Amino acid sequence: MANFETTTLAADLAGDVTPLMAQYLAIRHAHEGYLLFYRMGDFYELFFADAAKAAEALDIALTKRGKHLGEDIPMCGVPVHAAESYMEKLIRKGFRVAVCEQVEDPALAKKRGSKAVVRREVVRLVTPGTLTEDALLDARASNILAALGRSGSDFALAAADLSTGSFWVAALHEREIASELARVRPRELLVPDGLLAHESLGAVLKACRAALSPLPSSRFDSAHGERALTAHYNIAALDGLGSFSRAELSAAGALIAYLELTQKGKHARLARLKRVAPSHFMAIDAATRRNLELTETLSGTRGGSLLAVIDRTVTAAGARELAARLAAPLTDVKAIEARHVSVGLFANDSELRRRLRDALRTAPDLSRALARLSVGRGGPRDLANLRDGIGAARSLRDSLTQIVLQGEAADAAEAIVQNVAHVSRLADRLELLLVDEPPYLVRDGGFIKANVHAPLDELRTLAHESRRVIAGLENQYRQAAQVTQLKIKHNGILGYFIEVSQQHGDRLMAMKDLFRHRQTMAGAVRFSTDELANLASRIAESAGAALDLERALFDEMTALVLEHEEALGQIADALSVFDVSVALAELAVAARYVRPSLDNGLGFRITRGRHPVVEAALRAENARGFVPNDCDLSPNSARNGKSARLWLVTGPNMAGKSTFLRQNALIAILAQMGSFVPADAAHIGIVDKLFSRVGAGDDLAAGRSTFMVEMVETAAILNQATAKSLVILDEIGRGTATYDGLAIAWAAAEHLHETNKSRALFATHYHEMVALCERLGAMACVTMKVKEWNDTIVFLHEVTSGAADRSYGIHVAKLAGLPLAVVERAEEVLRALEEGREGHQPLARIDDLPLFGASAPAPKTCMVEEALRTVEPDALSPKQALEILYDLKRKLP
Ligand code: ADP
Ligand code: MG
């Protein structure tokens, strides 16, 4: 079967090829790597290998059509009106699609000769990062296209969301790339093709979950990039935008050029290129994000993530903004406080919150509507969305008149006031012309109100009148032909026609002056008349003319929208800021969060902190409440008489170590993203980088050995963490033999303490490490409190000073239902090992211990069981039975 990636066009055209197939092959060969959706009438058809792939991916029938070089041509097709949902499926499965349309009227092609083929062109390349249609997008998630540019050893990542128009670029060191990709999470990543073979970067790029689009390095040329940018913004020189490095130009230019390529020259709306510095954000690498389950859980679901627990937004744009903020906590105290101030203000005024949320709920997705209109894929519904969005902004503005705002909400309100005034002419026009709920597509018509445009009204009346006259004709013809069952009907092929049953056909046939025969069916005969044909063509003409008029009005409104693109974009942004700010206030009130205080010091003091997700889960289960815990890593803390920035956390499994570690990391993230935090009080010196690692075993990474993964990740921390960082190490070293693991954990703790000097929480099951607390001046030991009770243990989930005296591993095993014999044997082995510590030879001692099976003491059986075994119920009188029962009851432990 022809496979276009391996054959040439010339080879495919050899032999007997129809003109249509020749056109297909030429277009298909020009778009390697894409499935070609080839428009034929009401269908997009796919041929050859494309057809086989699509039929399988879409689960649709694979048929054939004609022959090529002696073999059947496989074919499948999707109807045009349903094409979006099929495309969505294909994109999700990793395909890219080239959409090829008929670009001339088939009637024109016919004039060129009977063999002439309708001209067709690819009008768009659909790739994961360049989607704008609602059907192809997740409303509450952004859809980012990124490009990694390079100039010598400098790198830069440019990123854009075509569906909303945001666009920025960041200069990067090679070692920052992984963390930046983890923050941005592009859906599609453009890279110079050479980079994929790059020793270390290649792996980083393949590990990021984006669809990779390698492009020739020439596309990443920085001079080229500069030209693409000046052309895109229609400016003479870039100076107006700011100064950009060569790597930045390379990335941003490649991205713009790719947009033009995929949009086939349609000018995508992009905001002014912004420059961001990675140091504006708390650095959080991919492993930490995954491990802390920020936007999705380890199993890949949104439910159960931090985002799901804190999201109280009421608009899709607000949800996207909240997710973006969670992905990128800030490091600038002023900027963070501007967010906190607004949240605090709304948290104190429930009535204001209610009013704002009511207004916000009526706001549709402005940015996505705007983006579609700007690339020529918009429809009347998008215009209505802008109208309603402006309306929502107006009512929001009106409910703010009595309020003195502060922080970012004050800026957002200012933006709304100014820009709403700016777009008032546009708003009036949209309100005047558009019906309440217009259709999605222009070609459906009917989206312009009645009585707002005289020529349109006239055409509509004409069509309406003609329909009325046709209805009148029916009666007239019934009388003329003396057939009471005569009917005037309409269908898509004949248009209007007169129908009578077979038995009356001859009567109408005879009236040749009036009725013209059109069609004889089984049981019915169809006719037309001059008058009917006239009226029908008048209806068709006026309907066509009306649609043309509506189309012209649509174009006029769209042009007006594009003139106000910037103001509309700012309104959209301001609305999403309000949504996020009010939503965070709502959360703070509902879940009892407090405003954290921040500065540039090294403090970290959390009073009665809680884990937001575990707390919410316990609440949902109606279980007992979450136990709050303090954490103080500040230089002036005084735990056990010394200030400790590194806490060694010991305690049995299930006692709450991991929960405690994570809750403190999450509190730092929430604070710096601008949210309140789940605690009674929190003081945090800005965290520049956050690291979180879990010892292998909890997290089964694919491919590499889990211990290798653990060590690679630990190495990254020890190489990168600074005194301003917050580090969370949860049972590292667990993935290898005891002594190795202990040695590694030990050395890592020393390095963190002596060299990195980061604030850190270190959970371990190696009790031996407690000895470090005496040696290391800034390390303190804490433990999870447990209560022993009747030979079993109860977890209190409380953090206290000191170290766990034992691991209780065997207790936990017992709770889990390990057979009693195994538990008892383990206790023996443990005793032997512990005596061994005091200088004996533990393993030799264990060898001496009798094995079960061979000579192990028979497992203790309980007295009740023993007593029951001797009882013969059939031989007992009722009185004896009752006595035995009393006896048994006494024997119960
Ligand atoms: P460890 O890491 O010590 O094995 P985890 O942190 O995984 O323990 O906690 C085990 C379980 O205990 C959690 O799933 C949670 O249900 C419960 N838990 C932990 N901390 C608390 C707390 N502070 N309050 C209430 N329940 C808690
Ligand atoms: Mg744990």
Side-chain angles (χ1 to χ4, degrees), residues 75-224:
M75 175 181 96
C76 69
V78 302
V80 169
H81 66 86
E84 275 188 5
S85 71
Y86 288 108
M87 264 186 236
E88 193 252 0
K89 236 181 176 175
L90 290 172
I91 296 289
R92 207 173 282 286
K93 295 196 168 180
F95 293 100
R96 286 136 213 263
V97 173
V99 182
C100 177
E101 294 288 355
Q102 297 173 182
V103 292
E104 71 175 346
D105 190 337
L108 279 180
K110 266 196 196 122
K111 283 189 193 150
R112 284 200 304 271
S114 61
K115 285 261 174 74
V117 179
V118 181
R119 274 204 308 123
R120 289 183 176 81
E121 270 170 27
V122 168
V123 297
R124 177 176 176 213
L125 301 176
V126 188
T127 74
T130 57
L131 305 173
T132 54
E133 290 86 345
D134 277 341
L136 308 184
L137 290 165
D138 176 355
R140 296 174 84 81
S142 30
N143 197 67
I144 291 187
L145 171 70
L148 184 64
R150 175 190 199 174
S151 168
S153 59
D154 295 336
F155 289 88
L157 189 76
D161 188 339
L162 182 60
S163 69
T164 61
S166 60
F167 186 26
W168 73 95
V169 63
L172 300 170
H173 290 291
E174 187 183 328
R175 66 180 139 71
E176 290 171 323
I177 292 175
S179 156
E180 186 67 2
L181 284 173
R183 178 174 74 81
V184 174
R185 291 210 30 191
R187 177 100 184 260
E188 181 176 2
L189 177 62
L190 314 176
V191 291
D193 49 12
L195 271 193
L196 286 180
H198 187 283
E199 206 181 328
S200 51
L201 258 185
V204 166
L205 296 177
K206 282 173 201 148
C208 105
R209 281 189 280 170
L212 289 179
S213 298
L215 300 174
S217 305
S218 58
R219 300 262 186 90
F220 287 84
D221 178 66
S222 61
H224 203 282

Side-chain angles (χ1 to χ4, degrees), residues 678-692:
D680 283 3
H683 171 92
I684 298 173
I686 291 291
V687 172
D688 67 345
K689 298 176 190 165
L690 176 72
F691 295 99
S692 164

Side-chain angles (χ1 to χ4, degrees), residues 609-611 614-615 617-618 621 624-629 649-663 698 730-731 734 763 784 795-799:
R610 288 140 24 220
H611 190 298
V614 175
E615 178 181 41
L618 290 179
E621 286 165 16
R624 62 201 153 46
F626 188 87
V627 181
N629 278 304
V649 186
T650 52
N653 269 322
M654 291 300 289
K657 299 182 298 298
S658 300
T659 306
F660 176 65
L661 261 56
R662 287 194 174 94
Q663 86 188 26
D698 272 7
D730 194 354
E731 311 223 25
R734 185 163 52 176
M784 307 302 305
F795 304 114
L796 299 178
H797 305 302
E798 229 178 277
V799 177

Side-chain angles (χ1 to χ4, degrees), residues 579-615:
D579 192 12
V580 168
S581 196
V582 176
L584 287 175
E586 194 74 28
L587 170 74
V589 173
R592 290 190 308 109
Y593 287 13
V594 297
R595 178 172 171 183
S597 80
L598 298 170
D599 59 28
N600 286 309
L602 296 173
F604 191 89
R605 181 180 303 124
I606 312 298
T607 312
R608 294 175 62 78
R610 288 140 24 220
H611 190 298
V613 181
V614 175
E615 178 181 41

